[in-house]
Amino acid sequence: MPLGERGGWERSESRYCGVETDFSDDVPSLLNFHISTGGFDYVLAPLMNPSYRPSLLEGNGADTQVLPVSGSDLVLAPSQWSSHVVGKISSWIDLDSEDEVLRMDSETTLKQEVAWATHLSLQACLLPTPKGTSCANYARCVNQILQGLTTLQLWLRVPLVKSDGDSMDATSEGLNDSWELWNSFRLLCEHDSKLSVALDVLSTLPSETSLGRWMGESVRAAIVSTDSFLTNARGYPCLSKRHQKLIAGFFDHAVQVVISGKPVHNLPKANTEGTQKHHLRSYLDYVAYLFQKMESLPEQERIELGYRDFLQAPLQPLMDNLEAQTYETFERDSVKYIQYQRAVAKALVDRVPDEKASDLTTVLMVVGAGRGPLVRASLQAAEETDRKLKVYAVEKNPNAVVTLHNLVKLEGWEDIVTIISCDMRFWNAPEQADILVSELLGSFGDNELSPECLDGAQRFLKPDGISIPSSYTSFIQPVTASKLYNDVKAHKDLAHFETAYVVKLHSVAKLSPSQSVFTFTHPNFSTKANNQCYKKLQFNLPSDAGSALVHGFAGYFDSVLYKDVHLGIEPTTATPNMFSWFPIFFPLRKPVEVHPDTPLEVHFWRCCGSSKVWYEWSVSSPTPSPIHNTNGRSYWVGL
């Protein structure tokens, strides 16, 4: 039975827990013992008798031999095979052995076992850990198999090892960093989305930063050995604080725990009722306790669950008119409008001293007024500061203008608010504004053409006028994002690799702190003809992290609305509880492997044409990548 019900975790794959078993030719009894009696959700069980070797059968009437599998497909219903059994490929196989007989036996057996697993409609099979440093032939054989699979997933078993120079884990067999093993195997298999990783969690763990890399990889299972458990004061198994934190991180990334090994805690064999207790039940109970200890997901996080790692094309609000549903979503973000109200209130107080508050009327223009949330925030700021206001609401979407007219009438703002149905870049204002307010920011700050729009509207701002926002900066950071990369790759074309996506990042590893890219200030007194920019950036991985694969760049923005009032999504300074913007993701056509001792050199360009603005990006070190999106051939924002 699942580990428990927690707020927001009900649908997570991580609520299932498996158990690793030995070979049995009586699968119904195996399931009855581990699932009905033990309470596990599935077994990780060998499909073939471990003594089987194809070469021993040759010439001995091999044609009439029956494969020594764990029983006929009829011993369980198809749904039981599918839900309760993950196949474990024979651990003796070694496709990179010098011994040709062993190598050939291994290839034959691997293909037979996967074929049997497919016949049984299993959801997944566990591949044994590669035996040596070279795994090319093993990967070649697995890659051949992957080409023919439709639903079966293959999990490569890899020990969770990363030595810090001197310390070597006894079970790692001389392996310095198991991520390197996984990475070479995955790249040899063309980054196939049906190939995932199952991590053997050992009693000693690598550093925190090294573990973080795995959160961006396609980890499906964490196989926790009973040897990794400590003993609590009552004699029961428990995990170290670091192990607990790792397992919680796995739960949050839909990774399932599998208990493996023999019991190492001397506990009573029977329940209080006197019935026989499963020998690993106390380990399962502890894992269930960790799952139930997880904090419930906040309401907003639950709403956004479906958007996790889901690629969306950014909005084109200048080229397209937004729909009512889109306005509705953004208007619900009260945090954003509270910040705008604070900024307008501070600007009004700076603009009009208290002694002139009853005489002076401030002219405020909302450019891109939508359905009126900024108009409302500005009027509330005027009421709060006791300042007089005259508002122009400029909006190019004729459908939103209908709503604006109704709002003004309903609220009785006819004497204060003038609605202008026009593109701000082409409107001739009857007077100049003291304050210009806009919400034209995209996930990357300038990617919805705020600079072009505000430069166009600047002509009707007084020379000493205030723009809200007064500046905004874009940021990027390199990420491992295996799922996002595979989702882009699934389109099988260049254009999708040269497109920036808005995405609620979840299964990603952030490899280095973010750095600023482009900054725009308003009002803009620059004499530059356009807003073209170029930035070269250098990122370094922490020295204890180990190598990592960069699939692309996460992008964010931070904006100064006015003085000390800011708004943004850059992780270290993000405005809490704001949901109007997800980060942006710039993919790389070919992922780049980066080592801690070699900087990652990245180039970003913001290019401007007569009818569009676009980004180009590339990596120049440690290995050069092509320049992505040349001339905006795949992705651009229309002017």
Side-chain angles (χ1 to χ4, degrees), residues 375 403-415 417-419:
V375 174
T403 316
L404 265 177
H405 274 289
N406 284 318
L407 176 71
V408 168
K409 201 170 173 184
L410 186 70
E411 297 286 355
W413 295 337
E414 289 95 338
D415 297 339
V417 179
T418 305
I419 297 167

PDB file of all heavy atoms in Angstrom, residues 375 403-415 417-419:
ATOM      1  N   VAL A 375      -4.628  50.486 -12.870  1.00  0.00           N
ATOM      2  CA  VAL A 375      -5.424  51.710 -12.652  1.00  0.00           C
ATOM      3  C   VAL A 375      -5.938  51.682 -11.219  1.00  0.00           C
ATOM      4  O   VAL A 375      -5.815  52.659 -10.468  1.00  0.00           O
ATOM      5  CB  VAL A 375      -6.596  51.794 -13.664  1.00  0.00           C
ATOM      6  CG1 VAL A 375      -7.503  52.971 -13.337  1.00  0.00           C
ATOM      7  CG2 VAL A 375      -6.067  51.885 -15.093  1.00  0.00           C
ATOM      8  N   THR A 403     -13.882  46.082 -21.165  1.00  0.00           N
ATOM      9  CA  THR A 403     -13.885  45.807 -19.715  1.00  0.00           C
ATOM     10  C   THR A 403     -13.481  47.054 -18.932  1.00  0.00           C
ATOM     11  O   THR A 403     -14.059  47.350 -17.881  1.00  0.00           O
ATOM     12  CB  THR A 403     -12.899  44.642 -19.394  1.00  0.00           C
ATOM     13  OG1 THR A 403     -13.076  43.622 -20.356  1.00  0.00           O
ATOM     14  CG2 THR A 403     -13.120  44.097 -18.011  1.00  0.00           C
ATOM     15  N   LEU A 404     -12.484  47.787 -19.452  1.00  0.00           N
ATOM     16  CA  LEU A 404     -12.014  49.013 -18.786  1.00  0.00           C
ATOM     17  C   LEU A 404     -13.144  50.030 -18.647  1.00  0.00           C
ATOM     18  O   LEU A 404     -13.338  50.617 -17.575  1.00  0.00           O
ATOM     19  CB  LEU A 404     -10.871  49.635 -19.597  1.00  0.00           C
ATOM     20  CG  LEU A 404      -9.431  49.309 -19.200  1.00  0.00           C
ATOM     21  CD1 LEU A 404      -8.462  49.963 -20.170  1.00  0.00           C
ATOM     22  CD2 LEU A 404      -9.122  49.783 -17.775  1.00  0.00           C
ATOM     23  N   HIS A 405     -13.883  50.232 -19.740  1.00  0.00           N
ATOM     24  CA  HIS A 405     -15.009  51.202 -19.717  1.00  0.00           C
ATOM     25  C   HIS A 405     -16.033  50.809 -18.655  1.00  0.00           C
ATOM     26  O   HIS A 405     -16.513  51.662 -17.902  1.00  0.00           O
ATOM     27  CB  HIS A 405     -15.671  51.295 -21.090  1.00  0.00           C
ATOM     28  CG  HIS A 405     -14.986  52.274 -22.000  1.00  0.00           C
ATOM     29  ND1 HIS A 405     -15.053  53.641 -21.812  1.00  0.00           N
ATOM     30  CD2 HIS A 405     -14.205  52.079 -23.096  1.00  0.00           C
ATOM     31  CE1 HIS A 405     -14.336  54.254 -22.756  1.00  0.00           C
ATOM     32  NE2 HIS A 405     -13.819  53.323 -23.550  1.00  0.00           N
ATOM     33  N   ASN A 406     -16.321  49.491 -18.597  1.00  0.00           N
ATOM     34  CA  ASN A 406     -17.305  49.019 -17.607  1.00  0.00           C
ATOM     35  C   ASN A 406     -16.791  49.217 -16.188  1.00  0.00           C
ATOM     36  O   ASN A 406     -17.545  49.584 -15.290  1.00  0.00           O
ATOM     37  CB  ASN A 406     -17.619  47.530 -17.835  1.00  0.00           C
ATOM     38  CG  ASN A 406     -18.550  47.352 -19.033  1.00  0.00           C
ATOM     39  OD1 ASN A 406     -19.501  48.104 -19.204  1.00  0.00           O
ATOM     40  ND2 ASN A 406     -18.261  46.374 -19.870  1.00  0.00           N
ATOM     41  N   LEU A 407     -15.482  48.983 -15.980  1.00  0.00           N
ATOM     42  CA  LEU A 407     -14.884  49.137 -14.650  1.00  0.00           C
ATOM     43  C   LEU A 407     -14.966  50.597 -14.192  1.00  0.00           C
ATOM     44  O   LEU A 407     -15.355  50.887 -13.054  1.00  0.00           O
ATOM     45  CB  LEU A 407     -13.413  48.667 -14.686  1.00  0.00           C
ATOM     46  CG  LEU A 407     -12.612  48.852 -13.398  1.00  0.00           C
ATOM     47  CD1 LEU A 407     -13.083  47.868 -12.320  1.00  0.00           C
ATOM     48  CD2 LEU A 407     -11.116  48.673 -13.648  1.00  0.00           C
ATOM     49  N   VAL A 408     -14.595  51.509 -15.089  1.00  0.00           N
ATOM     50  CA  VAL A 408     -14.606  52.947 -14.756  1.00  0.00           C
ATOM     51  C   VAL A 408     -16.021  53.413 -14.388  1.00  0.00           C
ATOM     52  O   VAL A 408     -16.230  54.141 -13.416  1.00  0.00           O
ATOM     53  CB  VAL A 408     -14.021  53.764 -15.936  1.00  0.00           C
ATOM     54  CG1 VAL A 408     -14.287  55.251 -15.755  1.00  0.00           C
ATOM     55  CG2 VAL A 408     -12.519  53.502 -16.060  1.00  0.00           C
ATOM     56  N   LYS A 409     -16.997  52.914 -15.151  1.00  0.00           N
ATOM     57  CA  LYS A 409     -18.394  53.283 -14.902  1.00  0.00           C
ATOM     58  C   LYS A 409     -18.863  52.721 -13.557  1.00  0.00           C
ATOM     59  O   LYS A 409     -19.472  53.411 -12.746  1.00  0.00           O
ATOM     60  CB  LYS A 409     -19.243  52.714 -16.037  1.00  0.00           C
ATOM     61  CG  LYS A 409     -20.574  53.389 -16.235  1.00  0.00           C
ATOM     62  CD  LYS A 409     -21.196  52.897 -17.536  1.00  0.00           C
ATOM     63  CE  LYS A 409     -22.611  53.421 -17.675  1.00  0.00           C
ATOM     64  NZ  LYS A 409     -23.260  52.872 -18.875  1.00  0.00           N
ATOM     65  N   LEU A 410     -18.531  51.445 -13.333  1.00  0.00           N
ATOM     66  CA  LEU A 410     -18.952  50.751 -12.122  1.00  0.00           C
ATOM     67  C   LEU A 410     -18.365  51.404 -10.869  1.00  0.00           C
ATOM     68  O   LEU A 410     -19.037  51.562  -9.855  1.00  0.00           O
ATOM     69  CB  LEU A 410     -18.490  49.280 -12.204  1.00  0.00           C
ATOM     70  CG  LEU A 410     -18.948  48.332 -11.101  1.00  0.00           C
ATOM     71  CD1 LEU A 410     -20.445  48.060 -11.218  1.00  0.00           C
ATOM     72  CD2 LEU A 410     -18.179  47.017 -11.165  1.00  0.00           C
ATOM     73  N   GLU A 411     -17.084  51.818 -10.942  1.00  0.00           N
ATOM     74  CA  GLU A 411     -16.394  52.384  -9.778  1.00  0.00           C
ATOM     75  C   GLU A 411     -16.612  53.899  -9.650  1.00  0.00           C
ATOM     76  O   GLU A 411     -16.174  54.493  -8.671  1.00  0.00           O
ATOM     77  CB  GLU A 411     -14.874  52.099  -9.873  1.00  0.00           C
ATOM     78  CG  GLU A 411     -14.506  50.623  -9.840  1.00  0.00           C
ATOM     79  CD  GLU A 411     -14.653  50.009  -8.447  1.00  0.00           C
ATOM     80  OE1 GLU A 411     -14.946  50.749  -7.492  1.00  0.00           O
ATOM     81  OE2 GLU A 411     -14.480  48.772  -8.327  1.00  0.00           O
ATOM     82  N   GLY A 412     -17.244  54.499 -10.668  1.00  0.00           N
ATOM     83  CA  GLY A 412     -17.488  55.949 -10.614  1.00  0.00           C
ATOM     84  C   GLY A 412     -16.219  56.772 -10.779  1.00  0.00           C
ATOM     85  O   GLY A 412     -16.039  57.807 -10.137  1.00  0.00           O
ATOM     86  N   TRP A 413     -15.324  56.290 -11.674  1.00  0.00           N
ATOM     87  CA  TRP A 413     -14.043  56.987 -11.879  1.00  0.00           C
ATOM     88  C   TRP A 413     -14.060  57.898 -13.112  1.00  0.00           C
ATOM     89  O   TRP A 413     -13.006  58.354 -13.559  1.00  0.00           O
ATOM     90  CB  TRP A 413     -12.898  55.971 -12.070  1.00  0.00           C
ATOM     91  CG  TRP A 413     -12.596  55.105 -10.877  1.00  0.00           C
ATOM     92  CD1 TRP A 413     -12.868  55.362  -9.574  1.00  0.00           C
ATOM     93  CD2 TRP A 413     -11.940  53.809 -10.901  1.00  0.00           C
ATOM     94  NE1 TRP A 413     -12.440  54.335  -8.772  1.00  0.00           N
ATOM     95  CE2 TRP A 413     -11.858  53.366  -9.562  1.00  0.00           C
ATOM     96  CE3 TRP A 413     -11.414  53.001 -11.914  1.00  0.00           C
ATOM     97  CZ2 TRP A 413     -11.285  52.137  -9.216  1.00  0.00           C
ATOM     98  CZ3 TRP A 413     -10.845  51.796 -11.562  1.00  0.00           C
ATOM     99  CH2 TRP A 413     -10.777  51.354 -10.228  1.00  0.00           C
ATOM    100  N   GLU A 414     -15.244  58.177 -13.660  1.00  0.00           N
ATOM    101  CA  GLU A 414     -15.303  58.899 -14.943  1.00  0.00           C
ATOM    102  C   GLU A 414     -14.558  60.234 -14.931  1.00  0.00           C
ATOM    103  O   GLU A 414     -13.977  60.630 -15.941  1.00  0.00           O
ATOM    104  CB  GLU A 414     -16.775  59.160 -15.359  1.00  0.00           C
ATOM    105  CG  GLU A 414     -17.529  57.930 -15.785  1.00  0.00           C
ATOM    106  CD  GLU A 414     -18.347  57.313 -14.645  1.00  0.00           C
ATOM    107  OE1 GLU A 414     -18.025  57.571 -13.450  1.00  0.00           O
ATOM    108  OE2 GLU A 414     -19.302  56.585 -14.952  1.00  0.00           O
ATOM    109  N   ASP A 415     -14.560  60.932 -13.790  1.00  0.00           N
ATOM    110  CA  ASP A 415     -13.922  62.246 -13.727  1.00  0.00           C
ATOM    111  C   ASP A 415     -12.400  62.156 -13.566  1.00  0.00           C
ATOM    112  O   ASP A 415     -11.685  63.146 -13.741  1.00  0.00           O
ATOM    113  CB  ASP A 415     -14.490  63.065 -12.544  1.00  0.00           C
ATOM    114  CG  ASP A 415     -15.982  63.325 -12.731  1.00  0.00           C
ATOM    115  OD1 ASP A 415     -16.449  63.231 -13.897  1.00  0.00           O
ATOM    116  OD2 ASP A 415     -16.666  63.566 -11.723  1.00  0.00           O
ATOM    117  N   VAL A 417     -10.444  59.073 -14.617  1.00  0.00           N
ATOM    118  CA  VAL A 417      -9.779  58.169 -15.563  1.00  0.00           C
ATOM    119  C   VAL A 417     -10.251  58.419 -16.995  1.00  0.00           C
ATOM    120  O   VAL A 417     -11.454  58.423 -17.271  1.00  0.00           O
ATOM    121  CB  VAL A 417     -10.031  56.682 -15.183  1.00  0.00           C
ATOM    122  CG1 VAL A 417      -9.355  55.747 -16.186  1.00  0.00           C
ATOM    123  CG2 VAL A 417      -9.544  56.391 -13.764  1.00  0.00           C
ATOM    124  N   THR A 418      -9.284  58.626 -17.897  1.00  0.00           N
ATOM    125  CA  THR A 418      -9.577  58.743 -19.329  1.00  0.00           C
ATOM    126  C   THR A 418      -9.018  57.498 -20.014  1.00  0.00           C
ATOM    127  O   THR A 418      -7.828  57.178 -19.861  1.00  0.00           O
ATOM    128  CB  THR A 418      -8.895  59.995 -19.921  1.00  0.00           C
ATOM    129  OG1 THR A 418      -9.302  61.133 -19.148  1.00  0.00           O
ATOM    130  CG2 THR A 418      -9.260  60.179 -21.386  1.00  0.00           C
ATOM    131  N   ILE A 419      -9.877  56.793 -20.763  1.00  0.00           N
ATOM    132  CA  ILE A 419      -9.434  55.560 -21.431  1.00  0.00           C
ATOM    133  C   ILE A 419      -9.044  55.882 -22.874  1.00  0.00           C
ATOM    134  O   ILE A 419      -9.795  56.539 -23.605  1.00  0.00           O
ATOM    135  CB  ILE A 419     -10.547  54.491 -21.395  1.00  0.00           C
ATOM    136  CG1 ILE A 419     -10.839  54.110 -19.935  1.00  0.00           C
ATOM    137  CG2 ILE A 419     -10.137  53.247 -22.197  1.00  0.00           C
ATOM    138  CD1 ILE A 419     -12.100  53.314 -19.739  1.00  0.00           C
TER     139      ILE A 419
END
